[in-house]
Amino acid sequence: MARTHILGFPRIGFERELKFALEAFWRGDTDETPLRETGRALRTRHCELQRTAGLDQIAAGDFAFYDTMLSQTALLGAVPARFAFDAKALTLAQYFELARGNARQPAMEMTKWFDTNYHYLVPELGPETRFDGGTEWLFEEVTEALALAPHVKPVLIGPITFLVLSKSVTAGFDRLQLLPALVRAYERILGRLRALGVEWVQLDEPALCTDLEPAWLDAYDTAYRGLADTGLKILLATYFGSAADRAERISRLPVHGVHIDLMRDLVRAPQSLDVWQRALPEHMVLSAGVIDGRNVWRTNLRKTVSMLRPLHDACGDRLWIAPSCSLSHVPVSLASEIQLDAEVRPWLAFATEKLGEVRVIARALNEGEAAVAEALDQSDAAQRSRTTSRRVTNAHVRAQVAGVTDRMTERDSPFKARIAKQRAALALPLLPTTTIGSFPQVQSLRATRAAYKRGEIGALDYLQHIRSEIESAVRKQEALGLDVLVHGEAERNDMVEYFAEHLWGYAITREGWVQSYGSRCVKPPIIYGDVCRPEPITVDTIAYAQSLTDKPVKGMLTGPITMLQWSFVRDDEARESVAMQIALAIREEVSDLEKSGVRVIQIDEPALREGLPLRRREWPAYLAWAVRAFRLAAAAVRDDTQIHTHMCYSEFGDILPAIAALDADVITIETSRSKMELLEAFHAFSYPNDIGPGIYDIHSPRVPSIEDMLALLRRAADVIPLERLWVNPDCGLKTRGWKETEGALRNMVEAARVLRAEVEGNARNPERSVATTRQSQHASPVTHE
């Protein structure tokens, strides 16, 4: 009998209840009690959904008030020492300070969870780190779940993945030195779970799907031998890629089951299922991730059952059916999507619907296809509809993609020639200041947008309100003294969704929210067909903003790779082809912006690194078409039009050649949480173009002082020539309030002014060089420690 389970469920709630409870708590409108009650209600609902779907094992411990990695850090008691918190008595307020910073300390570093758009908080480990135990939250949540269901499977991040994804706070420190202490901590945790009555525990080890040095692979043997006698059955979960090349090694670990993500292998390496079947011993469970946990397309149930039938016949109750990974990467439910196109909606399955798909597959295997004939027939109908729909294929778009040439991806002149023309045309000062694009979207603005969507106000009233917001943003930037302005994006709900709404081939959901980090939720659009731009999207808005000021205003666009990565992409077309379609649409928008008089155009690509495959051997192919797509979008302008791009919250050091190959005139990057560490890589690589390293963290409500920003700016000036250095925040300011935004930007502009004045003083006093000035400034640096 095949058994059923999931690896995790979305925690934000059907109506984003967690988001609103978090933000009420952060504003001081509520205390911990209502927030904890919201968390408890959500966990209860998720448990009931799994029970109603008939799953054999109920996932628990997959909930977090901010981030699972942060919660794991708190559970282990590995709270960064710089915060001086008592790990065993950590409050929710202190937990959030770790994630968001406070007046004394910046937040923990945040980066992308493998190749997803989810952000995790990076644990900070060093020789002094102790895993002596922390919060009791996991055990409380498991106790709740056991009161609702007899078979509860707690979910934890595995010990090796935890170490791999952490950072060393002491230079040269080998985190593997902490493995014995960490294993003892996991032993204690698993022992307590067993005492609660738990039989199975899921330890997530997606690091097994990445490139690992031999020492890290050997660490798996050490760690899991240490956990072999806890009395719990361990399901080791791999996902986001294939670990089939390590099947033999994994099969020798003293665990009781292995979960494998088959979504990728079934397309590229269908033989991998045979590899796992041969490798795993007869006592070991094989959990087959055959339902896509990262995309929204309905599963081809009949095809999946047929593929699994031989495995079921061989394994019997050792076969578990599951999604490929946690369902937290897809929206909660299709129930409210009544406005979705009637043809497209039957093609989709969100998290709740995927629970049903898990159960249908298991029943078809256990009881025969006749037991679920109606569900299989509906799945067949959806597959036929997608295949035959006239709305999916656009012959004109496909001809355009086929006609793309190398010349279309090249600027007229190299960077050195372009930048000279741009500096002459823009007349910017040394260390020009700018922002990344968005400004705070206050409640009145969101209410106006909602009223317009509901038809309560007309288009003219809406336009007037948006233009009023744009004018206000421009005037505030002028008053602050910024050099290159933005229009503030008052008309935009999201940097991807806004453009998707204006492109053909995309569908937009009503409540298709997915957590990105903390309370930040995004609503990825759905690419169901060939993509094209029917008409200009941003030209009127940017041209209006430019008419209000003599300072340059950036045209703000989202790049083709980010439009791809932050959407749910069709699974019936190569991603490269879809990226080129989007690039052509953006190219048309870039050309129209330039024709309207816009001289600075930013094409954001924060997801470029995110799209990188987990294995290095696959990097060159992806980077080749990703770079080509960006260059196709950007290369249609004259030399004196300046192209910017923005990237954030990813490890970019290992793809610097590709970033340089984008050939953007200016790149702005996130660097403040890592204290400019990334710039060392740009310096070592001799990155040739202009750079704007973020000098304050916009994901924290903390307003850094002028001295804080000067310290980071001076570090940047140590490795980047001043004439190529821009000054800006880490990212867009949409999620912040105006008071903190204006305070931070005022300090940022002043920090740039101070450093400019020092440089001008050095120019008047030649015997005191800039280098000498920096050395004296660094004699007593301002730090966050």
Side-chain angles (χ1 to χ4, degrees):
M1 296 284 289
R3 302 180 68 80
T4 53
H5 74 118
I6 61 171
L7 280 69
F9 196 80
R11 54 182 175 261
I12 59 173
F14 182 70
E15 296 179 330
R16 290 179 293 162
E17 295 94 325
L18 181 59
K19 169 187 173 65
F20 299 122
L22 284 170
E23 292 173 353
F25 178 75
W26 294 338
R27 289 193 304 267
D29 296 344
T30 64
D31 60 18
E32 283 193 9
T33 301
L35 177 56
R36 289 189 179 279
E37 289 175 351
T38 297
R40 186 178 298 108
L42 287 170
R43 293 191 296 269
T44 299
R45 184 189 307 166
H46 302 160
C47 183
E48 291 295 339
L49 284 169
Q50 294 174 69
R51 286 184 59 193
T52 302
L55 300 191
D56 296 305
Q57 292 279 351
I58 305 301
D62 55 334
F63 180 85
F65 279 109
Y66 198 98
D67 164 50
T68 50
M69 196 72 163
L70 180 61
S71 293
Q72 186 95 344
T73 302
L75 170 68
L76 292 165
V79 174
R82 61 188 175 90
F83 282 90
F85 293 155
D86 181 352
K88 293 182 181 294
L90 191 72
T91 66
L92 268 182
Q94 291 171 330
Y95 172 86
F96 293 132
E97 288 182 37
L98 298 173
R100 307 175 76 230
N102 58 33
R104 301 173 305 280
Q105 292 292 337
M108 293 170 64
E109 185 178 341
M110 185 164 64
T111 194
K112 297 292 182 71
W113 179 250
F114 295 90
D115 58 347
T116 76
N117 188 31
Y118 178 77
H119 303 65
Y120 76 94
L121 277 299
V122 182
E124 300 173 10
L125 307 182
E128 75 291 344
T129 299
R130 299 291 180 269
F131 302 111
D132 295 331
T135 63
E136 294 286 307
W137 303 340
L138 170 68
F139 310 113
E140 294 166 0
E141 293 168 15
V142 171
T143 301
E144 287 175 6
L146 285 166
L148 299 170
H151 301 293
V152 172
K153 172 176 58 68
V155 176
L156 292 88
I157 297 165
I160 306 305
T161 293
F162 180 84
L163 281 182
V164 167
L165 297 185
S166 301
K167 65 181 292 187
S168 300
V169 294
T170 303
F173 177 68
D174 181 3
R175 298 189 300 281
L176 281 174
Q177 294 179 30
L178 297 173
L179 184 58
L182 182 61
V183 171
R184 289 193 295 271
Y186 272 79
E187 283 185 282
R188 290 193 301 270
I189 293 168
L190 298 193
R192 290 194 58 182
L193 291 174
R194 183 191 178 199
L196 291 175
V198 168
E199 180 185 9
W200 280 90
V201 64
Q202 173 185 315
L203 296 184
D204 287 357
E205 293 285 7
L208 277 167
C209 297
T210 69
D211 293 316
L212 291 173
E213 296 294 329
W216 286 100
L217 287 171
D218 291 342
Y220 277 97
D221 299 329
T222 303
Y224 284 89
R225 281 199 306 269
L227 300 178
D229 297 325
T230 61
L232 280 183
K233 295 179 179 179
I234 295 175
L235 178 71
L236 186 149
T238 68
Y239 47 80
F240 296 155
S242 176
D245 58 331
R246 293 166 181 157
E248 291 288 343
R249 181 169 199 143
I250 294 170
S251 71
R252 294 193 295 271
L253 294 176
V255 298
H256 300 78
V258 177
H259 171 83
I260 57 174
D261 180 343
L262 286 170
M263 296 313 302
R264 180 177 175 276
D265 279 357
L266 290 178
V267 175
R268 300 188 185 181
Q271 71 278 6
S272 69
L273 193 55
D274 296 332
V275 170
W276 284 105
Q277 186 177 351
R278 289 194 304 269
L280 294 186
E282 292 185 359
H283 70 273
M284 197 174 287
V285 161
L286 176 60
S287 171
V290 292
I291 290 170
D292 198 340
R294 293 182 57 176
N295 214 330
V296 294
W297 303 107
R298 195 167 184 166
T299 305
N300 188 328
L301 296 176
R302 200 179 300 275
K303 180 179 178 181
T304 303
V305 170
S306 176
M307 180 269 295
L308 289 175
R309 177 68 67 186
L311 187 63
H312 176 257
D313 292 343
C315 295
D317 59 5
R318 291 195 298 113
L319 176 64
W320 289 15
I321 309 300
S324 58
C325 60
S326 170
L327 295 175
S328 60
H329 304 285
V330 296
V332 177
S333 173
L334 267 172
S336 65
E337 301 303 329
I338 56 177
Q339 296 176 341
L340 262 177
D341 185 275
E343 185 177 18
V344 174
R345 191 179 187 278
W347 303 344
L348 308 176
F350 292 175
T352 303
E353 290 73 35
K354 289 177 187 291
L355 297 179
E357 291 186 328
V358 170
R359 186 59 181 162
V360 167
I361 293 171
R363 286 193 64 195
L365 292 171
N366 295 335
E367 305 171 29
E369 295 186 12
V372 288
E374 183 178 357
L376 295 178
D377 289 344
Q378 290 174 351
S379 173
D380 290 345
Q383 306 306 319
R384 287 194 299 271
S385 175
R386 280 189 71 192
T387 302
T388 59
S389 174
R390 294 182 178 180
R391 302 179 58 201
V392 170
T393 303
N394 185 315
H396 175 67
V397 170
R398 294 184 171 240
Q400 282 187 306
V401 171
V404 171
T405 65
D406 289 343
R407 181 66 188 89
M408 293 171 66
T409 67
E410 298 172 359
R411 298 285 294 272
D412 290 338
S413 303
F415 171 74
K416 286 186 177 179
R418 299 197 310 265
I419 197 65
K421 296 178 183 177
Q422 292 163 16
R423 287 171 179 163
L426 297 173
L428 298 174
L430 186 71
L431 302 170
T433 57
T434 189
T435 65
I436 303 306
S438 60
F439 275 129
Q441 296 225 343
V442 296
Q443 179 57 36
S444 61
L445 176 58
R446 293 195 296 267
T448 300
R449 185 183 297 120
Y452 176 59
K453 285 189 173 182
R454 292 192 300 266
E456 296 171 3
I457 61 174
L460 182 58
D461 288 339
Y462 178 67
L463 177 62
Q464 288 175 335
H465 187 91
I466 293 298
R467 288 198 164 190
S468 175
E469 292 286 342
I470 292 172
E471 182 172 6
S472 175
V474 169
R475 299 303 174 221
K476 286 177 178 177
Q477 291 172 87
E478 288 180 323
L480 288 166
L482 288 158
D483 299 307
V484 176
L485 312 187
V486 297
H487 78 293
E489 303 183 15
E491 81 287 7
R492 304 185 190 183
N493 45 15
D494 175 80
M495 65 180 293
V496 172
E497 183 178 4
Y498 176 76
F499 288 95
E501 288 174 334
H502 294 81
L503 295 171
W504 288 356
Y506 272 94
I508 308 298
T509 64
R510 178 185 177 188
E511 297 289 346
W513 298 100
V514 177
Q515 184 185 32
S516 181
Y517 61 87
S519 69
R520 170 67 170 156
C521 300
V522 295
K523 191 150 61 72
I526 300 167
I527 304 176
Y528 67 85
D530 292 337
V531 177
C532 64
R533 186 194 76 145
E535 60 187 5
I537 301 170
T538 68
V539 175
D540 287 346
T541 302
I542 304 300
Y544 172 72
Q546 185 63 79
S547 73
L548 300 173
T549 181
D550 292 331
K551 291 189 173 184
V553 176
K554 285 193 287 190
M556 301 300 305
L557 305 175
T558 303
I561 303 306
T562 301
M563 288 293 299
L564 182 84
Q565 286 295 126
W566 291 359
S567 300
F568 292 119
V569 185
R570 56 192 298 190
D571 58 359
D572 60 344
E573 182 75 14
R575 294 175 74 88
E576 175 183 358
S577 175
V578 179
M580 299 304 288
Q581 294 174 8
I582 300 170
L584 284 168
I586 296 169
R587 179 184 178 92
E588 293 172 357
E589 189 74 11
V590 168
S591 296
D592 285 344
L593 281 170
E594 184 183 55
K595 290 173 185 175
S596 74
V598 176
R599 288 294 168 262
V600 182
I601 301 172
Q602 181 170 308
I603 306 174
D604 289 339
E605 283 292 21
L608 180 71
R609 174 64 173 80
E610 176 187 313
L612 204 62
L614 299 186
R615 297 297 183 94
R616 284 182 178 268
R617 62 179 178 266
E618 299 174 8
W619 287 12
Y622 162 75
L623 289 171
W625 62 256
V627 168
R628 181 176 173 83
F630 179 89
R631 291 175 63 115
L632 177 63
V637 296
R638 300 191 306 268
D639 285 351
D640 60 354
T641 296
Q642 191 169 79
I643 296 293
H644 289 221
T645 191
H646 171 67
M647 299 178 183
C648 60
Y649 295 98
S650 286
E651 301 296 333
F652 294 115
D654 45 12
I655 60 164
L656 279 173
I659 293 175
L662 297 176
D663 200 25
D665 299 306
V666 181
I667 179 173
T668 53
I669 52 175
E670 175 274 323
T671 52
S672 70
R673 286 200 182 190
S674 61
K675 302 181 180 67
M676 297 288 167
E677 290 175 3
L678 181 59
L679 284 189
E680 296 292 344
F682 277 81
H683 175 63
F685 176 73
S686 299
Y687 184 78
N689 299 9
D690 284 12
I691 303 178
I695 63 169
Y696 83 88
D697 174 24
I698 66 88
H699 293 88
S700 169
R702 178 177 181 268
V703 176
S705 67
I706 296 169
E707 290 74 19
D708 287 340
M709 295 197 199
L710 266 172
L712 291 178
L713 192 52
R714 285 166 177 158
R715 289 176 189 172
D718 279 337
V719 294
I720 304 297
L722 286 170
E723 67 273 12
R724 293 201 289 112
L725 195 59
W726 285 63
V727 182
N728 45 263
D730 270 343
C731 200
L733 297 160
K734 174 182 177 181
T735 60
R736 302 268 57 91
W738 269 114
K739 182 178 179 181
E740 64 199 69
T741 294
E742 290 185 271
L745 290 179
R746 188 175 293 110
N747 289 352
M748 185 189 83
V749 170
E750 180 61 15
R753 188 199 65 78
V754 169
L755 192 54
R756 278 190 210 123
E758 291 172 357
V759 174
E760 291 170 0
N762 290 331
R764 292 191 297 269
N765 188 8
E767 66 271 16
R768 181 172 173 80
S769 68
V770 173
T772 303
T773 300
R774 290 179 192 153
Q775 290 171 5
S776 66
Q777 290 163 349
H778 281 282
S780 56
V782 178
T783 71
H784 296 296
E785 299 300 321

